[in-house]
Amino acid sequence: MRISRISLLVAVSVLFSAAPLAAQALAHTHGAAESRMPTEGGQSAFAAIAEIVKLLEADPNTDWSKVNLERLRLHLRDMDLVTLRSVVTSAPTAGGAIFTVRGTGETVGAIKRMTGAHVSMVEMTGGPRIVRTELADGVRLVVTVRDGDARTGEARIRGLGFIGLMTSGDHHTMHHLMLARGEAMADHGNP
């Protein structure tokens, strides 16, 4: 049996190209399996706590004797109550808006804790002026422009509404980490 030079070249080419193709196929199937893995650790509060746990475990300076994840869990519960269970009415006022935030049962305490801490944070970061008055069933917030273009600031305050103002700012994630680490910071009356 005589093998032609062309047949030999084809056979060698197939052998040399088969290994990279097989490796490439394996990489694609492995990558596809990884892309089908969930990225969120479950319900949002659970996922937020899981993220904090990863940060604490990755930090060799974590003082585990001070870590208090229950404090963070209670804060996240307050966030849920205020976001989903409070009743908000708004009315325009010169330079901004008046938000009346009311609830029943445990939501009332959550409203008072969350707005009290947030008003302090807004003041520290130079946001709009907020006058907070406690009510039996919640709070009243008078939010007005501190300075600058009154029309833009006024429109922004009204556009954001109560929940937009509560969520604005980059301090939330740092606050959660500080709560979990047991560091001194307003903890909304939670242990």
Side-chain angles (χ1 to χ4, degrees):
M1 177 188 295
R2 186 173 168 148
I3 299 177
S4 73
R5 190 170 178 193
I6 294 176
S7 297
L8 185 59
L9 286 173
V10 169
V12 170
S13 295
V14 168
L15 287 173
F16 282 112
S17 64
L21 289 174
Q24 189 176 22
L26 180 61
H28 282 312
T29 57
H30 182 64
E34 285 179 8
S35 68
R36 288 188 296 240
M37 293 299 294
T39 57
E40 177 146 338
Q43 182 264 0
S44 62
F46 189 90
I49 293 169
E51 181 181 26
I52 294 294
V53 167
K54 285 180 185 177
L55 291 171
L56 294 172
E57 289 178 335
D59 182 358
N61 296 317
T62 295
D63 183 348
W64 290 100
S65 69
K66 292 181 180 177
V67 169
N68 188 343
L69 292 170
E70 180 62 10
R71 189 172 163 202
L72 175 59
R73 186 188 74 81
L74 292 172
H75 170 67
L76 294 170
R77 186 170 186 268
D78 277 355
M79 290 176 75
D80 185 68
L81 289 169
V82 170
T83 303
L84 301 175
R85 305 259 169 100
S86 63
V87 176
V88 181
T89 58
S90 63
T93 192
I98 299 170
F99 302 106
T100 305
V101 187
R102 292 190 154 100
T104 59
E106 60 193 355
T107 303
V108 175
I111 291 167
K112 292 179 180 184
R113 286 186 294 273
M114 291 292 297
T115 58
H118 195 70
V119 167
S120 300
M121 191 60 65
V122 168
E123 288 175 2
M124 286 192 308
T125 59
R129 183 178 301 111
I130 303 176
V131 176
R132 179 180 171 274
T133 305
E134 284 200 13
L135 309 171
D137 60 349
V139 298
R140 178 176 296 112
L141 303 173
V142 179
V143 184
T144 54
V145 175
R146 191 171 296 274
D147 56 23
D149 181 358
R151 289 181 192 247
T152 303
E154 189 174 288
R156 180 178 179 276
I157 289 168
R158 292 176 185 167
L160 286 171
F162 166 71
I163 200 62
L165 289 165
M166 288 296 291
T167 62
S168 65
D170 271 342
H171 63 276
H172 295 283
T173 52
M174 180 52 69
H175 175 61
H176 294 171
L177 188 56
M178 292 178 78
L179 283 171
R181 284 185 173 153
E183 295 175 3
M185 188 172 194
D187 65 1
H188 314 293
N190 291 324

